[in-house]
C-alpha cells in the first residue's frame, strides 16, 4: 500500500517535472552538490518560491563524485557546490568556473571568495562528538591534546569506538587531515594514537553520527559541525564539542560552471546564496552558518565567534589549497598517513 | 577684397596637430610597450620566487626526482590578483613528475631553459599566460637527473599593472599637449601682434597719405615694411611727375591759345580784309600746331597709362626702318636734310615689338632730328648689332645739346633750351616711353666734333615660323 502510494507520487511528480520542463524549456537548473538536501532544503524552497519558473534539479553526492561530475564535458552541471575546498579551487584554476559580476559578489568578504568565481557561502566548524556514556568513563575531551590523552590512557575503553573521516575516500576528510598536519606536526601523534585505537573510517558525517547514535562509536573526530549540531538537537545522547584549542572551519564552495547549460538560472541561484535573504535563511533555518556580517540568526559566523572565542581557523581560500590536490603530494600524504596510522599498532 | 588663401593661425595649428599626432602615436606606442615591459619585469619576480621555492623542495629519493608541492609557491604564483596558476615538472627522461596543466612547452623552449632561466609569453586554454622555465640540478649520492621546472600564470595582474602605467604616461602626455597648445596660442598672439599693428597703421592712414611708414617691427617683417615704403615712394614720384606734366601741359596749351586770342583781337580792330586774312592764316597755323601738341600729349599719356604691351609680335626691324625712311624722304619736312639709312648687319633683323609703337618712335626721332638741325644737316639711321642684340640709332651733325640738359631731354616739354623751333618738346618723351615698353632704354649722347646721337638697344628674337629658312 505504502509502496503503491510512493509509486503514484513519483509518477505524478514525474508528470509535473516533464510538464514544466516542456512548458518552460531552458529553465532547468542542475546543481551538483556535496551538501545534504534535507539540510539545505529551506534555502532551495525559498529560491524555488522566488523563481517558480526555474525547475531545480538538485543532485546530492559525495565530494569526489561532485568533482567528477563537474569535469564531465558532455553534460556539465549549472552550479557546483562542494565542501572539498581544494578540489573546488582546482576546478576554478582549470578554468571550469565562470566569474560572477553582481553587487552581492562585490560585497562578499575577500577571504571567502576566489577570482570572483568560487564563493565560500557557509561557515561550518569542524567538531568532535561523543556519546553521553563516554563521560561516565573518562573526562570528555575539550581540546586536541585531551583527545590524544584519552586515546593514550583509555585505549581499553575506546578501542574500535573511535570514528573519523577517511582521508582516502573523502575529499573533506583529506582536506581536514592536511590542514591539521599543516597547523601542527603533533597531528601525526594523534593519527598514530587513533590507529592504535583501531579507528573506524567513514566517508560522511551522517554515517559517523548514525554510528554514534547506534552506540557503535563513542567518539567522533573531525565531524562537520553543521550536521552534528542539527543531529544533537534530536539526539540528546550525543554531545557536540567545538575544540577549545583550535577549530577548523570548513566552507562550502559554490560556483557557476563555465559550460553551464542554463547560465542565467545558475547565476541567479549563486547570487541568491550570497544574498542577504539567502544568507538569512541559512542563518535561521539551517545549521550552515551565514558568512555575512549583516545577517542575524542563530547560525552566523559572528555568533559562533562570540560563543567559541577567537580560535576558529577557517581553511583559507587561496592558491595554497591547490597544492593539496597535486597527485604527488596527495600520494605522499596518504602514504605517510598509512604509515602513521599503523605505527603504534605493530 | 582678396579672399584669404590660408590662415597663419590655422596653418600653425595644423602643424602642431600633425606633430602632436605623429609624435604622440610614437610616444604612446613606446609608453604601451614599456608599460608592459615594466609590468612583466615586476611580475616575473613572482614567477622566479615560486620557481625557486618549488626547486627547493625537489628531492631525489633513489635518484628519481619527486616533489612535495609547496603550498606557498602556488600562493606566490597566484599573486594578489588571484591568477590561475600552472606548473609542469619533467624529469630528464621525459617522464612528467607532476603537472596541473598540460602546458604548451616545446623542445625549443626546454633547450633554452637548459642554458638559463627563461621567461616567455604563451597561450594556454585560449588565455595569454606568462611562463618561466628553469632546469634544476643537484648534487647527491646517486646520479641525480636534472628536472625541467616550468611555472606560469595568467596575465590579469600584468594587464592591470600595465594599464595603470600606460594610463599614467598617457595622462602626462595629454597634459603636456594641452600646455603646449596653450603656450603656442599665446606665442602666436604675441608674434602676430606686429602684423596687427601694421594693419592698424595702414588702415588708419588717410587715402592720400603716402609718407613712409615709421613702425618698430621685428627683423622678419622689416623687408615687408621697406617694400611698402618703396611702393609709397614710387607712388609719390609718379604723382609728382603727373602733377608736373599737367602743369607743363596747361602752360604749353596756354601760350598758343593766348597767341590766338591776341591775333584775333588785333584783327578784329582792323577794317582791312588783308589783315583779316593774314590773322586767319596765323590762327590756322597756330591751331594746327596746337592740335598736333594736343595729339602728342594724348599719345604720351596713352603710352604711359597703357598696360604692358600685349600685342608684341616678331617684326623685321630693318624692313620697318626702310619703310619709315622712304616715307620721310618723300616728305616736305625733310627736303632740306640729307636723310640716310645704314643697315650694317645681315637681314632680316627680327625683334619682338608693337609695330605701331616702333613706327611712332622712328617718326618722332626723325622728326626731332629734322626739326632741331639746321637745313643741310646729315641725318643717318643706323641698325647694327650681333646675334643677341640690335642697336637702332639716329645721328645728325647738328649743334648738339649742352651737357647739362642732355639728361633731361627725355622729359616732356624739354627742348634743350631751344626756343627757336616749333617742336612740342614731347617727341623724345614719347620715344622714351616706347623704348621702356620694349624693355629698352633710350640713350642720348653728343657726337664729336658735333651733332647728337639717339640710340635704342633691343633684344633680338627668333624669326616667326613662316619666315624661317
Amino acid at each position: 500500500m505504502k509502496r503503491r502510494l510512493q509509486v503514484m507520487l513519483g509518477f505524478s511528480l514525474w508528470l509535473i517535472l516533464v510538464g514544466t520542463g516542456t512548458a518552460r524549456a531552458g529553465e532547468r537548473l542542475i546543481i551538483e552538490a556535496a551538501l545534504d538536501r534535507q539540510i539545505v532544503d529551506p534555502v532551495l524552497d525559498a529560491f524555488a518560491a522566488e523563481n517558480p519558473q526555474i525547475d531545480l534539479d538538485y543532485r546530492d553526492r559525495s565530494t569526489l563524485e561532485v568533482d567528477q561530475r563537474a569535469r564531465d564535458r558532455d553534460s556539465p552541471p549549472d552550479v557546483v557546490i562542494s565542501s572539498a575546498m581544494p578540489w573546488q579551487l582546482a576546478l576554478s584554476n582549470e578554468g571550469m568556473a565562470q566569474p560572477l559580476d553582481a553587487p552581492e559578489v562585490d560585497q562578499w568578504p575577500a577571504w571567502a571568495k576566489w577570482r570572483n568565481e568560487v564563493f565560500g557561502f557557509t561557515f561550518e566548524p569542524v567538531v568532535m562528538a561523543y556519546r553521553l556514556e563516554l563521560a561516565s568513563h573518562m573526562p570528555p575531551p575539550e581540546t586536541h591534546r585531551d583527545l590524544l590523552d584519552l586515546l593514550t590512557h583509555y585505549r581499553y575503553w575506546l578501542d574500535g569506538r573511535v570514528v573519523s573521516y577517511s582521508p582516502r575516500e573523502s575529499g573533506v576528510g583529506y582536506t581536514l587531515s592536511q590542514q591539521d598536519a599543516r597547523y601542527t606536526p603533533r597531528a601525526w601523534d594523534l593519527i598514530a594514537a587513533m590507529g592504535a585505537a583501531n579507528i573506524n573510517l567513514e566517508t560522511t558525517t551522517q554515517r559517523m553520527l548514525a554510528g554514534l547514535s547506534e552506540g557503535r562509536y563513542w567518539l567522533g573526530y573531525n565531524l562537520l559541525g553543521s550536521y552534528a549540531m542539527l543531529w544533537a538537537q534530536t539526539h540528546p545522547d550525543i554531545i557536540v564539542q567545538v575544540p577549545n584549542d583550535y577549530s577548523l572551519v570548513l566552507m562550502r564552495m559554490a560556483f557557476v560552471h563555465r559550460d553551464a547549460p542554463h547560465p542565467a538560472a545558475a547565476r541567479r541561484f549563486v547570487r541568491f546564496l550570497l544574498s542577504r535573504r539567502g544568507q538569512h535563511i541559512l542563518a535561521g533555518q539551517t545549521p550552515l552558518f551565514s558568512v555575512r556580517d549583516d545577517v542575524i540568526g542563530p547560525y552566523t559566523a559572528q555568533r559562533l565567534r562570540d560563543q567559541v572565542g577567537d580560535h576558529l581557523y577557517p581553511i583559507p581560500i587561496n592558491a595554497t589549497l591547490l597544492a593539496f590536490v597535486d597527485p604527488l603530494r596527495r600520494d605522499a600524504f596518504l602514504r605517510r598517513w598509512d604509515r602513521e596510522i599503523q605505527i603504534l599498532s605493530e | 577684397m582678396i579672399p584669404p588663401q590660408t590662415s597663419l593661425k590655422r596653418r600653425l595649428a595644423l602643424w602642431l596637430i600633425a606633430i602632436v599626432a605623429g609624435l604622440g602615436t610614437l610616444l604612446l606606442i613606446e609608453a604601451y610597450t614599456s608599460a608592459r615591459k615594466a609590468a612583466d619585469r615586476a611580475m616575473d619576480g613572482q614567477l622566479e620566487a615560486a620557481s625557486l621555492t618549488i626547486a627547493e623542495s625537489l628531492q631525489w629519493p633513489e635518484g628519481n626526482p619527486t616533489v612535495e608541492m609547496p603550498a606557498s609557491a602556488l600562493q606566490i604564483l597566484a599573486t594578489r590578483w588571484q591568477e590561475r596558476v600552472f606548473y609542469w615538472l619533467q624529469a630528464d627522461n621525459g617522464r612528467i613528475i607532476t603537472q596541473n596543466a598540460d602546458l604548451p612547452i616545446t623542445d625549443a623552449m626546454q633547450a633554452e631553459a637548459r642554458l638559463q632561466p627563461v621567461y616567455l609569453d604563451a597561450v594556454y586554454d585560449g588565455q595569454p599566460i606568462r611562463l618561466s622555465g628553469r632546469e634544476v640540478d643537484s648534487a647527491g649520492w646517486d646520479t641525480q637527473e636534472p628536472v625541467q621546472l616550468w611555472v606560469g600564470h595568467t596575465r590579469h595582474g600584468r594587464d592591470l599593472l600595465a594599464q595603470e602605467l600606460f594610463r599614467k604616461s598617457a595622462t602626462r602626455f595629454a597634459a603636456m599637449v594641452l600646455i603646449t597648445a596653450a603656450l603656442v596660442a599665446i606665442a602666436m598672439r604675441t608674434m602676430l601682434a606686429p602684423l596687427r599693428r601694421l594693419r592698424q597703421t595702414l588702415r588708419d592712414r588717410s587715402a592720400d597719405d603716402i609718407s613712409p611708414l615709421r613702425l618698430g617691427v621685428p627683423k622678419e617683417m622689416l623687408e615687408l615694411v621697406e617694400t611698402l615704403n618703396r611702393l609709397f615712394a614710387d607712388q609719390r614720384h609718379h604723382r609728382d611727375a603727373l602733377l608736373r606734366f599737367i602743369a607743363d601741359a596747361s602752360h604749353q596749351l596756354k601760350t598758343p591759345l593766348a597767341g590766338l586770342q591776341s591775333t584775333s583781337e588785333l584783327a578784329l580792330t582792323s577794317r582791312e580784309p588783308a589783315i583779316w586774312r593774314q590773322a586767319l592764316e596765323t590762327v590756322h597755323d597756330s591751331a594746327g600746331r596746337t592740335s598736333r601738341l594736343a595729339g602728342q600729349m594724348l599719345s604720351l599719356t596713352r603710352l604711359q597709362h597703357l598696360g604692358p604691351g600685349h600685342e608684341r609680335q616678331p617684326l623685321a626691324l630693318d624692313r620697318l626702318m626702310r619703310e619709315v625712311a622712304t616715307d620721310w624722304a618723300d616728305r616736305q619736312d625733310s627736303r632740306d636734310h640729307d636723310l640716310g639709312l645704314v643697315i650694317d648687319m645681315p637681314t632680316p633683323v627680327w625683334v619682338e615689338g608693337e609695330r605701331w609703337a616702333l613706327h611712332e618712335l622712328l617718326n618722332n626721332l626723325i622728326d626731332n632730328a629734322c626739326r632741331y638741325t639746321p637745313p643741310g644737316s646729315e641725318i643717318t639711321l643706323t641698325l647694327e648689332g650681333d646675334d643677341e642684340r640690335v642697336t637702332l640709332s639716329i645721328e645728325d651733325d647738328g649743334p648738339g645739346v649742352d651737357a647739362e640738359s642732355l639728361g633731361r631731354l627725355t622729359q616732356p616739354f624739354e627742348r634743350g633750351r631751344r626756343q627757336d623751333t616749333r617742336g612740342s618738346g614731347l617727341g623724345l618723351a614719347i620715344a622714351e616711353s616706347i623704348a621702356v615698353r620694349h624693355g629698352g632704354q633710350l640713350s642720348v649722347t653728343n657726337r664729336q666734333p658735333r651733332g647728337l646721337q639717339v640710340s635704342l638697344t633691343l633684344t633680338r628674337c627668333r624669326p616667326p615660323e613662316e619666315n624661317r629658312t
Side-chain angles (χ1 to χ4, degrees):
Chain A
M1 180 67 200
K2 204 174 179 183
R3 175 169 290 176
R4 188 179 298 165
L5 195 67
Q6 272 181 349
V7 169
M8 278 175 68
L9 267 176
F11 183 69
S12 53
L13 196 67
W14 180 81
L15 269 183
I16 292 165
L17 283 176
V18 168
T20 51
T22 47
R24 297 200 169 90
E27 288 292 297
R28 262 181 92 203
L29 175 60
I30 306 163
I31 302 172
E32 292 285 354
L35 173 58
D36 282 5
R37 171 144 202 168
Q38 68 194 75
I39 287 192
V40 80
D41 246 351
V43 179
L44 299 181
D45 289 347
F47 179 74
E50 272 186 23
N51 302 279
Q53 80 283 6
I54 293 177
D55 178 12
L56 265 179
D57 182 0
Y58 187 89
R59 302 164 181 175
D60 185 6
R61 298 182 201 279
S62 81
T63 49
L64 297 183
E65 276 172 344
V66 167
D67 189 61
Q68 271 172 19
R69 302 301 298 227
R71 288 169 197 282
D72 184 353
R73 301 232 167 221
D74 297 329
S75 59
D78 290 311
V79 175
V80 182
I81 296 174
S82 173
S83 49
M85 297 168 72
W87 278 266
Q88 290 288 83
L89 213 73
L91 285 170
S92 159
N93 193 57
E94 283 161 40
M96 294 288 196
Q98 54 172 280
L100 213 57
D101 186 15
E104 291 90 351
V105 172
D106 297 336
Q107 287 166 17
W108 202 250
W111 55 269
K113 64 183 174 187
W114 184 251
R115 292 174 57 80
N116 284 356
E117 289 177 354
V118 200
F119 306 93
F121 66 98
T122 66
F123 194 83
E124 301 170 54
V126 176
V127 299
M128 297 188 254
Y130 54 87
R131 281 183 69 82
L132 201 52
E133 62 183 284
L134 176 132
S136 58
H137 297 282
M138 59 193 90
E142 289 185 355
T143 65
H144 290 80
R145 190 185 302 274
D146 290 349
L147 186 61
L148 180 57
D149 288 347
L150 290 188
L151 287 169
T152 318
H153 298 121
Y154 300 88
R155 191 186 297 173
Y156 169 76
W157 288 104
L158 290 175
D159 190 38
R161 286 175 169 162
V162 181
V163 67
S164 189
Y165 264 117
S166 158
R168 196 180 297 279
E169 283 154 53
S170 159
V172 174
Y174 172 69
T175 311
L176 296 177
S177 298
Q178 272 275 17
Q179 201 64 22
D180 270 338
R182 209 172 152 195
Y183 280 136
T184 166
R186 300 211 57 190
W188 293 114
D189 296 344
L190 192 59
I191 287 166
M194 286 197 285
N198 290 318
I199 187 171
N200 296 281
L201 298 176
E202 291 285 7
T203 53
T204 67
T205 294
Q206 296 293 10
R207 294 169 76 146
M208 291 189 242
L209 289 169
L212 282 168
S213 280
E214 288 162 15
R216 283 189 282 128
Y217 312 133
W218 278 18
L219 177 63
Y221 173 66
N222 273 358
L223 282 75
L224 290 185
S226 46
Y227 294 159
M229 285 173 186
L230 188 70
W231 188 275
Q233 282 174 9
T234 51
H235 300 80
D237 52 336
I238 305 293
I239 311 292
V240 172
Q241 173 70 49
V242 179
N244 277 340
D245 47 355
Y246 76 88
S247 170
L248 297 178
V249 176
L250 199 85
M251 301 175 85
R252 308 268 170 178
M253 293 171 71
F255 66 85
V256 177
H257 199 278
R258 177 191 61 198
D259 306 323
H262 316 102
R267 280 187 215 114
R268 184 171 298 181
F269 181 76
V270 175
R271 282 182 62 183
F272 181 77
L273 282 185
L274 307 183
S275 70
R276 198 186 158 107
R277 176 159 161 69
Q279 290 280 307
H280 185 73
I281 295 163
L282 217 63
Q285 299 173 40
T286 75
L288 292 171
F289 293 93
S290 161
V291 174
R292 282 178 78 128
D293 295 336
D294 57 351
V295 168
I296 295 168
Y299 298 102
T300 66
Q302 193 51 48
R303 197 171 153 152
L304 190 67
R305 281 198 191 97
D306 293 345
Q307 284 173 352
V308 181
D310 56 359
H311 51 263
L312 289 175
Y313 287 83
I315 294 172
I317 298 180
N318 59 32
T320 57
L321 288 181
L322 293 175
F324 296 166
V325 288
D326 180 71
L328 267 191
R329 181 162 174 154
R330 183 169 147 88
D331 289 348
F333 181 83
L334 291 177
R335 262 203 312 281
R336 174 152 191 207
W337 197 89
D338 289 344
R339 206 163 58 238
E340 299 281 352
I341 201 100
Q342 289 167 8
I343 209 159
L344 291 180
S345 47
E346 279 160 6
Chain B
M1 176 109 188
I2 309 154
Q5 296 193 321
T6 47
S7 147
L8 276 182
K9 278 183 190 168
R10 189 187 303 160
R11 277 172 72 169
L12 268 171
L14 281 176
W15 269 107
L16 188 72
I17 287 169
I19 289 168
V20 164
L23 219 63
T25 313
L26 287 179
L27 272 176
L28 289 183
I29 289 170
E30 200 275 333
Y32 179 72
T33 46
S34 67
R36 273 186 75 95
K37 269 187 202 148
D40 272 345
R41 252 197 320 277
M43 302 282 284
D44 282 349
Q46 307 258 76
L47 283 184
E48 185 183 23
S51 172
L52 287 175
T53 311
I54 296 174
E56 193 62 31
S57 35
L58 270 172
Q59 305 262 315
W60 282 265
E62 290 129 29
N64 290 322
T66 183
V67 67
E68 187 174 341
M69 186 52 60
S72 57
L74 301 182
Q75 181 67 357
I76 293 168
L77 210 50
T79 75
R80 63 192 172 91
W81 287 282
Q82 308 190 337
E83 308 284 0
R84 288 172 66 187
V85 306
F86 311 107
Y87 57 86
W88 185 93
L89 281 81
Q90 194 192 44
D92 203 32
N93 58 10
R95 178 179 67 91
I96 297 286
I97 302 166
T98 184
Q99 66 174 34
N100 79 335
D102 196 10
L103 292 178
I105 289 159
T106 61
D107 291 343
M109 284 158 71
Q110 292 197 39
E112 210 182 326
R114 215 157 277 146
L115 305 173
Q116 59 182 12
V118 289
Y119 300 89
L120 38 86
D121 294 316
V123 174
Y124 172 71
D125 201 13
Q127 267 192 314
I129 61 171
R130 183 80 170 167
L131 283 175
S132 167
R134 68 172 63 231
E135 183 147 304
V136 186
D137 225 338
S138 175
W141 289 0
D142 301 307
T143 323
Q144 300 191 344
E145 46 177 344
V147 172
Q148 280 265 335
L149 165 53
W150 287 81
V151 294
H153 58 194
T154 43
R155 297 194 56 101
H156 180 62
R158 288 165 195 261
D159 290 347
L160 285 181
L161 204 62
Q163 263 171 34
E164 196 185 320
L165 290 172
F166 177 68
R167 206 167 34 240
K168 275 182 187 161
S169 315
T171 312
R172 274 199 296 273
F173 178 71
M176 200 190 77
V177 167
L178 288 180
I179 292 169
T180 312
L183 287 179
V184 165
I186 293 168
M188 215 141 70
R189 278 192 77 83
T190 320
M191 283 177 179
L192 291 180
L195 211 59
R196 259 198 315 279
R197 224 160 41 231
L198 176 65
R199 186 191 61 198
Q200 201 57 43
T201 313
L202 287 175
R203 199 179 277 168
D204 290 348
R205 280 162 83 98
S206 59
D208 52 354
D209 184 1
I210 43 178
S211 62
L213 290 165
R214 307 244 172 270
L215 200 66
V217 290
K219 206 158 58 180
E220 287 79 1
M221 276 176 59
L222 207 57
E223 208 174 327
L224 173 66
V225 171
E226 275 170 0
T227 310
L228 277 174
N229 279 342
R230 208 152 47 232
L231 190 67
F232 287 142
D234 281 355
Q235 256 184 10
R236 205 160 52 236
H237 180 73
H238 269 104
R239 207 173 63 154
D240 289 351
L242 197 63
L243 287 174
R244 201 164 53 240
F245 179 78
I246 291 168
D248 287 352
S250 8
H251 180 73
Q252 292 293 332
L253 287 173
K254 206 179 141 200
T255 314
L257 285 176
L260 280 178
Q261 197 173 20
S262 61
T263 308
S264 49
E265 264 176 17
L266 204 65
L268 282 174
T269 53
S270 171
R271 303 232 170 227
E272 285 293 319
I275 290 175
W276 291 352
R277 178 170 181 87
Q278 194 187 350
L280 270 176
E281 272 169 6
T282 313
V283 166
H284 174 259
D285 204 24
S286 181
R289 263 183 295 125
T290 312
S291 161
R292 184 164 164 271
L293 175 67
Q296 277 197 311
M297 284 195 308
L298 197 64
S299 127
L300 180 62
T301 324
R302 206 176 66 179
L303 275 168
Q304 280 177 348
H305 288 86
L306 226 50
H310 291 303
E311 298 154 18
R312 283 204 212 171
Q313 54 196 15
L315 58 91
L317 192 57
D318 58 311
R319 225 171 281 163
L320 181 68
M321 283 170 76
R322 197 163 283 133
E323 271 172 37
V324 175
T326 316
D327 183 28
W328 271 89
D330 296 343
R331 287 205 199 174
Q332 189 79 5
D333 296 330
S334 65
R335 70 177 169 214
D336 297 331
H337 294 83
D338 180 4
L339 195 59
L341 176 66
V342 178
I343 292 178
D344 191 13
M345 60 189 299
T347 57
V349 179
W350 293 96
V351 295
E352 202 159 71
E354 287 165 302
R355 193 179 169 79
W356 69 268
L358 289 175
H359 199 282
E360 181 78 14
L361 174 111
L362 286 168
N363 271 341
N364 274 304
L365 291 178
I366 297 170
D367 182 50
N368 260 14
C370 293
R371 214 177 272 279
Y372 292 95
T373 50
S377 296
E378 234 176 71
I379 296 170
T380 315
L381 275 168
T382 318
L383 188 62
E384 59 191 2
D386 52 28
D387 289 346
E388 301 246 318
R389 285 165 209 289
V390 58
T391 304
L392 178 162
S393 34
I394 181 162
E395 297 165 358
D396 62 54
D397 54 356
V401 179
D402 64 76
E404 208 180 311
S405 44
L406 205 56
R408 293 206 308 270
L409 274 185
T410 51
Q411 288 181 7
F413 310 115
E414 189 62 53
R415 297 187 184 86
R417 297 194 180 170
R418 293 274 296 273
Q419 302 299 330
D420 58 335
T421 76
R422 294 177 159 193
S424 63
L426 287 175
L428 273 184
I430 290 171
E432 163 82 357
S433 288
I434 292 169
V436 169
R437 274 178 76 78
H438 286 80
Q441 184 78 37
L442 212 57
S443 84
V444 186
T445 47
N446 276 321
R447 292 177 69 211
Q448 292 303 329
R450 53 203 298 267
L452 191 74
Q453 181 187 37
V454 180
S455 54
L456 167 66
T457 304
L458 293 171
T459 312
R460 292 183 68 168
C461 76
R462 297 162 66 81
E465 291 290 335
E466 67 267 25
N467 286 301
R468 294 236 179 106
T469 48

